[in-house]
Amino acid sequence: MKQVGIGLIGTGFMGKCHAMAYGAVKAVFGDVPTPQLEILCSIDAENARRSAENFGFERWTTDWRDVVNDPGVHIVSITAPNSLHREITEAVAKAGKVVYCEKPLALTLADGIAMAQAVREAGVASLTGYNYLRNPALAYAKKLIQDGAIGQVIQFRGIYDEDYMADPDLAYTWRCRTEDAGTGALGDLSVHLISVAHYLIDEIVQVMGDIKTVHTQRPDPENNGQPGTVENEDQANALIRFRNGVHGVIGTSRVAWGRKSYMCWEVHGSTGMIAFDQERMNELRIYRNRGDVADQGFKTILTNTAHPPYGQFTPAPGHGLGFNDLKVIEVAHLLRGFEGRETLYPNMDDALHIERVIHGIVSSSQQGAWLTIGD
Amino acid sequence: MKQVGIGLIGTGFMGKCHAMAYGAVKAVFGDVPTPQLEILCSIDAENARRSAENFGFERWTTDWRDVVNDPGVHIVSITAPNSLHREITEAVAKAGKVVYCEKPLALTLADGIAMAQAVREAGVASLTGYNYLRNPALAYAKKLIQDGAIGQVIQFRGIYDEDYMADPDLAYTWRCRTEDAGTGALGDLSVHLISVAHYLIDEIVQVMGDIKTVHTQRPDPENNGQPGTVENEDQANALIRFRNGVHGVIGTSRVAWGRKSYMCWEVHGSTGMIAFDQERMNELRIYRNRGDVADQGFKTILTNTAHPPYGQFTPAPGHGLGFNDLKVIEVAHLLRGFEGRETLYPNMDDALHIERVIHGIVSSSQQGAWLTIGD
Amino acid sequence: MKQVGIGLIGTGFMGKCHAMAYGAVKAVFGDVPTPQLEILCSIDAENARRSAENFGFERWTTDWRDVVNDPGVHIVSITAPNSLHREITEAVAKAGKVVYCEKPLALTLADGIAMAQAVREAGVASLTGYNYLRNPALAYAKKLIQDGAIGQVIQFRGIYDEDYMADPDLAYTWRCRTEDAGTGALGDLSVHLISVAHYLIDEIVQVMGDIKTVHTQRPDPENNGQPGTVENEDQANALIRFRNGVHGVIGTSRVAWGRKSYMCWEVHGSTGMIAFDQERMNELRIYRNRGDVADQGFKTILTNTAHPPYGQFTPAPGHGLGFNDLKVIEVAHLLRGFEGRETLYPNMDDALHIERVIHGIVSSSQQGAWLTIGD
Amino acid sequence: MKQVGIGLIGTGFMGKCHAMAYGAVKAVFGDVPTPQLEILCSIDAENARRSAENFGFERWTTDWRDVVNDPGVHIVSITAPNSLHREITEAVAKAGKVVYCEKPLALTLADGIAMAQAVREAGVASLTGYNYLRNPALAYAKKLIQDGAIGQVIQFRGIYDEDYMADPDLAYTWRCRTEDAGTGALGDLSVHLISVAHYLIDEIVQVMGDIKTVHTQRPDPENNGQPGTVENEDQANALIRFRNGVHGVIGTSRVAWGRKSYMCWEVHGSTGMIAFDQERMNELRIYRNRGDVADQGFKTILTNTAHPPYGQFTPAPGHGLGFNDLKVIEVAHLLRGFEGRETLYPNMDDALHIERVIHGIVSSSQQGAWLTIGD
């Protein structure tokens, strides 16, 4: 197996998640190279030092360019703030290294396009962090659909709601500003839902959105608690149409009290239905019009060793994976892709299409008209 | 209490439901007049005779005009095919009697407008059959919203799916033709969801729809099994906006395998959320941002005597009402309205607004543009 | 069809339930005689008069013997306090009329034995009120078991919990005294669970119980709020063995906060499992070890027209029956039994065996030893 | 922080689980020493070599004594077959090292007693692998109970069912023999449930069990498929009483189709109830008799950062931990215990009491009488 040196930029929520995945992937999967944790970057020196120790990295820095330029680094995990994604990605690509970037790509579509182009032109491999795609339950859903278990797909419906900004009294922060955060719920949450829709159904090619900021002002602690105007959407709903002709609808909110990771979707087929809820991520529900009507109902399948790669984590069925385990699966894919054994998905181009959709939802909402997703 | 003579037109699914409700209402509620079951109509004489015997009606006929003109009849239950609703309603109104008409009003918006006008001009009372509105759980949801239990309402989302036409091989029938059935899933199912939205939130004033017939042809038994073209929608999704500024989204399908009475809605508020699923009609779910974060979660309330009029059916909490019980509550309301003790809701005008919404969804879908619901 | 005159003794919770069922049964089922509601009895005259009016009875009385002796009465519904069941039952039997008695039979086993004997000797038909047995979901469960859908039955587990006495500060009443109420949770709740176990599996022939009164004293309003000693059990658990060799366990509590009608059971089989919860009485869950392991899971079946007699209530699947609907099904059975078209079950003897089990649980608990249920 | 050298004996299901936990604990928790993965043992050399590489151990061996005697090893993870637990534990204790042994302790109570004694006499620290105890949901349940959130505890009910031996045609193996496996479902599953009961309520001091082998014979592949007689129990139910006077009941099956990790328990209190199901391990359900009756219901809490140590895994609420994460928490406890910062629980003595209960259930079942758990 090839030597694989890892650089990590960012040590927050997702940075730690990446680090844990690198640390676990060899024990879990075995058939991947052992990631060499070379260097990580945090802008705070003490945090960088401590994170390096905790995560098992050899070196640390406060300048992300050190990570990019480190000769021992082959793959760069980009978990820095979204506003830095473009600059870092372009640097990593230019350095000829693998770009492993968390979603969303960037604050603006233009930046996303530039990033995808940089990666394409540099000819480097890339993977974007859509870890919900790694759920064995989702892989099984896709297999079921492909095998015709629910016949011809006729509709997709999805929701991704959370409540991390549901409190109207929550402080005004960078998250509220387009310049710093880009879109709101769309970039944070909808992109995941769209990634699932693309994975399961087909590319979304037309959208008609309706976005709304419901908590329009929040107290700004940097301005004596005076109200700051929230610039991006709290909620977004959109009618959608797929390339294969299927219609659907998606909705997202970051102000939905009680929802913690409520990515809920259902695929309607001509002979059945598949449904899923990320808050119960080890369950997949399927209904088939098969056999006696008296005996039909939604079946709740607990993921198990028959749903790869569940069995890599435990041979015991229904014992349950967690959020962080999905990242381990993603990193295994990354490493196999690095060795040329698998084709990385979703790469920058795939991710770009996801972001075209969310920006299309914003535009269609502003125009009050259907919009065709461009290339 | 006043004497209340009842006439019933139609003895099918909803006709029987009305009959059962008339038979039960006095025992359940006590404080209503005893309905006098005068005369019912079915176009089939033998069925009419048998139904009169089973349902406890004094007389029967095969001509609905006999019901309308029967001097003992004060209230006419109209459960005939939708295509007859207009003619019958106009006759009942003209006869100065109370119109109790099942949803939807009519096949076309024009007919609906005419019906509402006839009732208005005749000055008769009217009630439309939106029995899901009678659920004690719904009444409690409305109370909670009004009492501010979830703060300011910020979004409404709803689905009403069933699978009664999910089988693509199901025969081509009158249900597939606009002339005979009007709209498809919208008129059958969405109207219920809209009735709930109007009841809980406010009137819907703008819509942007996307309707689709997914099983475009069905074998026509009256044409040697040759394919007949389905004229109305199997699915409908719509972005919606309420008069009070709240945005939302609704979706409906009659081809959603596994869904039997899946009217699912959620009301997002600034301090909480309320959610409901008609397939578990005795449960209401509420989340409040209150107290310790460690202790927050969706609470599932089983309806009980604290949710009137549940206690009229049983003093035992959580023992459960059924679909037909909701009609009994509706009929109690009808009888109290007849006595002038309650204001009938939704009357023809209220129902007309619901139908303006579904026809607005069709129009906006055809035009691909937002549409403002007219008066 | 035969003329069937009905007498009703008691107009409380279950009296009203009987009355509603008599009023609905003909409309719902059609193929039964129309019950003639002759006379009802309540010890309070005004209540008797009003109940007769509301329930549609011809006459009323405050003396239950008037009901028994009324020449127009063929069937007597006994919903009076349990302490009166024996005396009334013996009178009805002696009068040669059908005994339709709510569970439990009596306060003591001796009384129950006497009642069963009286009915047997009089040669009259009898039916006991175990309405949960009437659930179409249960009938389907039995059919599945009989058809071998879960292979050989290997275990039964059941719980019936409610919280009607969960508040320790609730007043001391007749319910707390053995003399007035007999057993506690066992007689109120466990009997239902045992009725289901007998229906689905076989007769219980051995028990090893553990009963407990957890709120041993309650304030007695008739004694200036001084503590009164609760004499019967709040909780009961029991290991059980069936005649066919299956083992199991049951538990019951009347002090289980949050449980409203939580009769939950599961039947384990050699190839599958069936599970049920009365609080979601329109759902049955089944797991089969069949087909691909990847595709196995518990299926939730919503009752529908394929589960007779659901379709008598509505042709719409999954729309849901309620608690009172089960009584309508029971009364239809009663009437068909009256006409000799069906064999009444559970009759007094069947009910007696249920009560032998609960009294066996008490005895085995007191003795701390297994007890064989006698005949 | 102290240097902590780890030795691992066994590389199967639980061996890998230990290895993953050692690999993750520093990244997840930070405030623990970094475990030095010194040496592991597998009886198969190739497996040992590969496991050492995958899990990141420095050395490997096929003789477990090498692990025990390795001078760099301070803690020995014992995940070897249960039949070896005693011998290894005694050796580890004798070597003065920390014993970290998977449940159950041993095949016989005598062996368990000997192990606990060996550890006690050697004065070494010990921890037993009861990872379900590490669930943040459980810690919160305990806190709620201690804080009086459900008043006084009045009952405990629990089930732990799986279906790993549910297929009657499954081969006869060592698991079926008392000599090789000890008890059946009790030792595999019940011990977990009892660990929870001890943790939440108090020690169980009296039991009355009923155990049963339902699939009494299985085809023995080592004997030409001839039937081998299963010697240990498939099912076990038991009435239980706690030291503090609370009564309860527990049940376990290894032949319960559809159950994958169905450790379900409920704690009844005088003012509320708490319920849990391991198959939905990130949810805790609580009912409180508080406030308006109309507003009472079971609340489903999704674990989050307010339930330590959930936040060590992710700051995002409701995103979910998995089975393996619980082991990471256990190992963090082990390491803190090693440093003297926490008292290890459950140690060998605590585990011994758990095993006294399961052996008590066997004895009481054989004797058909209540049994007091001895010391």
Side-chain angles (χ1 to χ4, degrees), chain C residues 38-342:
Chain C
E38 297 293 340
I39 182 167
L40 64 69
C41 166
S42 169
I43 50 170
D44 176 75
E46 172 51 22
N47 181 58
R49 189 201 58 72
R50 196 176 54 244
S51 295
E53 180 191 342
N54 291 351
F55 301 166
F57 276 74
E58 293 290 327
R59 300 177 294 286
W60 57 269
T61 175
T62 59
D63 180 352
W64 61 261
R65 290 171 200 283
D66 293 342
V67 175
V68 175
N69 298 325
D70 191 293
V73 167
H74 305 107
I75 295 175
V76 179
S77 273
I78 306 172
T79 73
N82 301 340
S83 55
L84 296 175
H85 281 190
R86 176 176 174 176
E87 192 178 4
I88 299 175
T89 293
E90 289 175 338
V92 174
K94 203 168 179 184
K97 301 184 174 183
V98 177
V99 176
Y100 178 26
C101 183
E102 272 306 304
K103 49 62 52 182
L105 291 188
L107 305 190
T108 65
L109 183 55
D111 281 349
I113 291 171
M115 291 164 71
Q117 190 174 351
V119 164
R120 221 180 299 118
E121 290 179 353
V124 297
S126 64
L127 181 67
T128 49
Y130 278 98
N131 43 310
Y132 295 129
L133 293 180
R134 310 303 164 179
N135 193 330
L138 189 74
Y140 187 58
K142 186 173 175 73
K143 182 182 184 315
L144 285 168
I145 292 169
Q146 285 178 329
D147 292 354
I150 58 168
Q152 190 186 344
V153 171
I154 58 174
Q155 187 170 217
F156 176 87
R157 284 218 202 94
I159 287 174
Y160 195 160
D161 283 358
E162 294 198 358
D163 64 3
Y164 59 89
M165 287 180 71
D167 187 346
D169 298 329
L170 220 63
Y172 186 81
T173 66
W174 63 273
R175 280 189 176 279
C176 306
R177 280 191 298 269
T178 306
E179 188 182 346
D180 299 321
T183 58
L186 284 165
D188 277 351
L189 304 176
S190 290
V191 290
H192 285 295
L193 194 54
I194 294 163
S195 79
V196 169
H198 283 182
Y199 176 72
L200 290 181
I201 314 293
D202 199 348
E203 282 195 341
I204 296 168
V205 292
Q206 282 187 294
V207 296
M208 171 66 220
D210 186 32
I211 65 174
K212 191 170 189 200
T213 308
V214 296
H215 302 312
T216 52
Q217 295 194 314
R218 294 179 177 278
D220 186 351
E222 298 183 3
N223 189 15
N224 291 319
Q226 290 301 303
T229 299
V230 178
E231 297 171 3
N232 47 27
E233 76 288 351
D234 288 327
Q235 295 169 177
N237 293 309
L239 307 171
I240 57 174
R241 294 177 185 164
F242 294 85
R243 191 179 298 281
N244 62 5
V246 170
H247 288 212
V249 62
I250 56 175
T252 299
S253 173
R254 64 185 181 187
V255 295
W257 276 118
R259 306 307 192 184
K260 306 305 177 183
S261 187
Y262 191 63
M263 187 173 72
C264 232
W265 50 259
E266 53 190 40
V267 180
H268 299 211
S270 58
T271 65
M273 186 185 291
I274 296 176
F276 175 81
D277 169 4
Q278 177 69 26
E279 287 181 356
R280 289 179 172 166
M281 60 176 271
N282 296 287
E283 302 179 10
L284 189 72
R285 300 179 71 231
I286 180 164
Y287 183 98
R288 284 185 179 87
N289 173 35
R290 199 171 62 180
D292 190 349
V293 167
D295 211 50
Q296 294 186 3
F298 273 95
K299 198 195 287 180
T300 302
I301 299 169
L302 286 172
T303 44
N304 59 62
T305 56
H307 309 105
Y310 178 97
Q312 296 296 331
F313 292 86
T314 171
H319 279 51
L321 303 190
F323 173 78
N324 289 322
D325 293 327
L326 302 184
K327 207 57 163 186
V328 178
I329 301 174
E330 189 174 89
V331 163
H333 175 54
L334 172 72
L335 296 176
R336 292 203 199 95
F338 180 76
E339 291 191 319
R341 294 158 57 198
E342 293 182 359

Side-chain angles (χ1 to χ4, degrees), chain B residues 13 131-132 159-164 189 192 253 256 258-265 276-281 323 326, chain C residues 302-303 310 316-320:
Chain B
F13 174 7
N131 43 313
Y132 296 127
I159 287 175
Y160 196 160
D161 284 357
E162 293 196 358
D163 63 4
Y164 60 89
L189 304 176
H192 284 294
S253 171
R259 305 308 192 183
K260 306 304 178 183
S261 186
Y262 192 64
M263 186 172 73
C264 230
W265 51 258
F276 175 82
D277 169 4
Q278 178 68 28
E279 287 180 355
R280 289 177 171 167
M281 60 176 271
F323 173 78
L326 302 185
Chain C
L302 286 172
T303 44
Y310 178 97
H319 279 51

Side-chain angles (χ1 to χ4, degrees), chain C residues 154-155 157 161 208 210 212 235 237 241 245 247 257-260 266 268 270-272 287 289 370, chain D residues 154-155 157 161 208 210 212 235 237 241 245 247 257-260 266 268-272 287 289 370:
Chain C
I154 58 174
Q155 187 170 217
R157 284 218 202 94
D161 283 358
M208 171 66 220
D210 186 32
K212 191 170 189 200
Q235 295 169 177
N237 293 309
R241 294 177 185 164
H247 288 212
W257 276 118
R259 306 307 192 184
K260 306 305 177 183
E266 53 190 40
H268 299 211
S270 58
T271 65
Y287 183 98
N289 173 35
W370 281 92
Chain D
I154 58 174
Q155 187 169 217
R157 283 219 202 95
D161 284 357
M208 170 66 218
D210 186 32
K212 191 170 189 199
Q235 296 169 177
N237 293 308
R241 294 177 184 164
H247 289 210
W257 277 118
R259 306 307 191 184
K260 307 303 178 184
E266 54 190 39
H268 300 212
S270 59
T271 65
Y287 183 100
N289 174 34
W370 281 92

